[in-house]
Amino acid sequence: MSDDNIHACHRQAQECALSNESIRHLLNTLSIRGCPFDFDRHLACESSRDRLRGGFDRSTCQIVLYPENLHTSKEFCTIFLHELIHAYDYCRVKIDFNNPYHLACTEIRAATLSNQCSLFNHFSSSSRPFLVKKQHEICVQDRARESMQICTDLPKQKLDEIIHEVFPRCYKDTDPFDEFGTRGRRRI
């Protein structure tokens, strides 16, 4: 990836921080918890031959974004927020990404709190009907499974068992937000 593309990626992430209240809140909360986010140190922008859009590298404590796979600024900000939630989880509880139960929980939280399963995102990315009752939960579980399939070699049935076991607790855990879908009230 060229230096110009890397700088453009960093600029876009900083624009997300300026325009997205949830990202600003999460960056502030990371700092308060003793894990300040430095864009130059904690954000890597790379190329990917796969269709990867982002990731959190615990060995370097970096968010990795693949901007060529992020086609709109909204998608870029959503994935940046998703990965910031992993960084926050790592900061607050030092999750073990090798533990599939920990991984499932942070993926459930990231899918829930980043609004990846909002009604708008569903209509813009799916031809399936959105049955409001329980559909959000189903979408979050699907997103968690998809993410886990990328970074584990566990069979789908085992992933589903793990997700099912941790889902009630992790889905309700909206820290550091008051609740998912409501971005107006914040707590620290």
Side-chain angles (χ1 to χ4, degrees):
M1 175 171 269
S2 74
D3 285 346
D4 286 345
N5 289 344
I6 291 171
H7 292 308
C9 174
H10 277 256
R11 269 193 315 274
Q12 190 164 5
Q14 290 170 343
E15 288 172 17
C16 291
L18 292 173
S19 65
N20 186 303
E21 182 184 350
S22 295
I23 290 174
R24 281 194 312 274
H25 177 70
L26 207 44
L27 292 171
N28 183 49
T29 305
L30 278 164
S31 184
I32 290 168
R33 286 196 174 253
C35 303
F37 187 87
D38 178 329
F39 282 85
D40 292 327
R41 163 66 185 87
H42 297 110
L43 176 63
C45 298
E46 300 178 0
S47 294
S48 171
R49 290 187 202 140
D50 298 317
R51 293 180 16 205
L52 297 175
R53 299 183 302 166
F56 177 71
D57 182 344
R58 69 185 176 275
S59 67
T60 60
C61 289
Q62 285 186 318
I63 289 173
V64 182
L65 296 176
Y66 304 98
E68 73 274 11
N69 297 332
L70 301 169
H71 304 294
T72 66
S73 60
K74 183 177 184 337
E75 181 182 19
F76 187 100
C77 292
T78 298
I79 298 305
F80 183 41
L81 176 58
H82 177 108
E83 301 307 334
L84 276 171
I85 292 163
H86 293 318
Y88 177 76
D89 285 349
Y90 189 69
C91 174
R92 82 176 175 147
V93 293
K94 300 293 185 233
I95 60 171
D96 177 0
F97 286 93
N98 293 318
N99 179 325
Y101 294 89
H102 289 198
L103 182 61
C105 192
T106 193
E107 290 298 348
I108 290 165
R109 284 176 35 74
T112 302
L113 298 173
S114 67
N115 280 333
Q116 286 180 288
C117 291
S118 70
L119 187 60
F120 174 80
N121 283 340
H122 177 80
F123 283 131
S124 64
S125 66
S126 176
S127 60
R128 295 176 297 179
F130 193 92
L131 307 171
V132 175
K133 187 174 184 175
K134 296 290 184 183
Q135 191 64 36
H136 186 267
E137 293 177 14
I138 292 166
C139 176
V140 168
Q141 291 171 8
D142 289 347
R143 294 287 181 146
R145 184 185 323 97
E146 290 166 8
S147 292
M148 291 180 72
Q149 286 174 320
I150 292 169
C151 45
T152 72
D153 57 359
L154 295 173
K156 181 183 178 298
Q157 181 179 353
K158 182 64 176 172
L159 292 176
D160 287 341
E161 289 171 17
I162 292 167
I163 290 167
H164 180 75
E165 184 174 330
V166 301
F167 189 80
R169 178 178 51 83
C170 300
Y171 185 71
K172 291 177 186 171
D173 179 2
T174 61
D175 185 39
F177 304 105
D178 285 343
E179 55 190 60
F180 67 85
T182 302
R183 300 293 182 236
R185 297 184 319 259
R186 303 287 186 233
R187 66 179 162 83
I188 297 178

